[in-house]
Amino acid sequence: MVRPLNSIVGRVLLLVPAVWAALDVDINNEDSIKKAAALVAEDLMSYYIGEKPNEIPGILPGPPPNGNYYWWSGGLLWNTLIDYRNVTGDTKYTDSIVKGMEWQMGDHHDFVPANWTLNLSNGDQGTWANAALAAAMAGLPSPSTSQKTSDWLSVARTVVDEQSLRRFNNGTCKGALRFAIYQIMNGYNYLDTTSNANYFALTAGLAHKTKNDTLAKQAASTYDMMTKAGWIDNDFNVFDGAQTENDCKLINKIRFSQNPGLLLTGAAYMFQQTNSDETWKKRIDGLLDRTLKLFFPDGVAKEIACESSGQCNIDMKMYKGMLHRALGKTMQLAPYTKDKILPVLKTSTAAAVKTCTEGQNQRLCSAYWAEDSDVEAGAKDGAAAQLTVLNALNSVLMANPQSGGNGSSPAGGSGSNAGGSGQGSTDAAGGKKDGPGSMGTSTTVSTAALLGGIFFGVMALF
């Protein structure tokens, strides 16, 4: 006998909790983390409109006033999704990654596209170049071009070669990159750590990938320059940079989390490149101890320069996700650090996913995770929040040796970390303002999946 459907559905729904946890993640369970990451990635890509008619591929909506995001964040988006692909084996976004990066590669295959030429910084270009390095390490399809030299590794090397010719030539900061590429741009007289740390991570990563000693020497000299200039002090605090005046002695001592992350990534590559040289081990250890203490108060990542005051702009809200990625990469390249890094990544990521309760699907995340931060305000940041939480989830999965560090497709090594500042002027503090263990089954539940289960459960009753 066929029973009334409405009566059956009513009885089944009585068994469903009134409130559904959109991202109920077991942080010690690999499958659970992967399923949560898939949902966060799906929501992240819901903000990407680059494949719609009349839209620009490769970038998040912007720049202001047309959207919140500057050009550099597109490079971060693709690098994050390459990491996601590597640690989960999910290749569904590969075509979008390749198309987006191709579109923004520029006529000279150096990530200086014509429509951004007068706005991008060395750090912005470095962000995209590090994504190209990640693409090469992951074995992604090469750009669709008639020139055989334009594989992703060649594109990354082209950026290194160009930036090597843009050095500041005087005094203590000789050899440093400026924030701005061209003299007519704001920030031309500012030597920022992000541009130089990006260059360091990129050259170190290329040296590791290609076993090129010349690139390794370029990376080492860049780190040495930043130490000599005082941007990395004796306690391994990493400062934002300096003005060119007065022999670079006017150091801007604000500290943002992506900078030590980039330095850790480069140092970890150099640790591999030099067969565990003690110098690079000491640098990893110093940067790691100071960074964990400073940016993970109570075990949860926090952008200390701006978060408590509510003054973080969209760029800054993505930095601690970038730091998570760098720490994950450091575990892969310098495995002895895992016991120190992984517990902190787990604690921080667990706090991050607890914020993923917003939006119509009840799983959109916040860019703020610490108890004393405005989680509700951070949930209004759309792609930035999703990008940051996805980086956190990816970082925990990087602890699995199967996720690799040296690249194999699709689940091979995640690429070098890519940071970068937004485009535009710097504020008085040097921050960019309006511009620049055991793992097994999942406990992840989404509203859609739950309703689907209810439907098929009801149908089974007939």
Side-chain angles (χ1 to χ4, degrees), residues 37 40 44 76-77 79-84 87 317-326 328 345 349 352 369 383-398 417-418:
V40 176
L44 168 61
L76 176 60
L77 169 67
N79 207 340
T80 301
L81 287 171
I82 293 170
D83 283 344
Y84 167 77
V87 297
K317 290 173 181 177
M318 292 184 277
Y319 289 167
K320 61 177 176 281
M322 296 158 63
L323 177 56
H324 262 261
R325 296 178 59 248
L345 293 182
T349 302
W369 313 334
Q386 299 303 123
L387 191 61
T388 302
V389 174
L390 182 57
N391 275 314
L393 291 162
N394 288 343
S395 72
V396 178
L397 291 170
M398 288 180 186
N417 179 65

Side-chain angles (χ1 to χ4, degrees), residues 312-343:
C312 298
N313 63 23
I314 286 290
D315 287 351
M316 298 170 193
K317 290 173 181 177
M318 292 184 277
Y319 289 167
K320 61 177 176 281
M322 296 158 63
L323 177 56
H324 262 261
R325 296 178 59 248
L327 291 169
K329 192 66 181 176
T330 300
M331 285 192 300
Q332 292 180 330
L333 293 164
Y336 78 90
T337 64
K338 179 179 175 179
D339 289 344
K340 183 177 290 186
I341 292 174
L342 186 55

Side-chain angles (χ1 to χ4, degrees), residues 187-257:
Y188 186 73
N189 291 323
Y190 190 67
L191 308 174
D192 69 310
T193 297
T194 298
S195 292
N196 290 277
N198 248 317
Y199 177 88
F200 169 60
L202 180 62
T203 50
L206 279 167
H208 170 68
K209 176 68 174 176
T210 64
K211 309 305 177 186
N212 185 306
D213 288 339
T214 299
L215 287 169
K217 289 177 182 178
Q218 287 176 251
S221 66
T222 301
Y223 187 97
D224 290 342
M225 178 276 299
M226 286 186 280
T227 302
K228 180 181 179 181
W231 304 350
I232 308 168
D233 72 8
N234 292 333
D235 295 320
F236 292 94
N237 291 295
V238 181
F239 304 122
D240 193 69
Q243 297 291 336
T244 58
E245 294 86 353
N246 300 312
D247 195 26
C248 307
K249 289 184 171 60
L250 298 176
I251 297 175
N252 183 346
K253 293 197 172 184
I254 195 167
R255 292 168 292 184
F256 289 111
S257 65

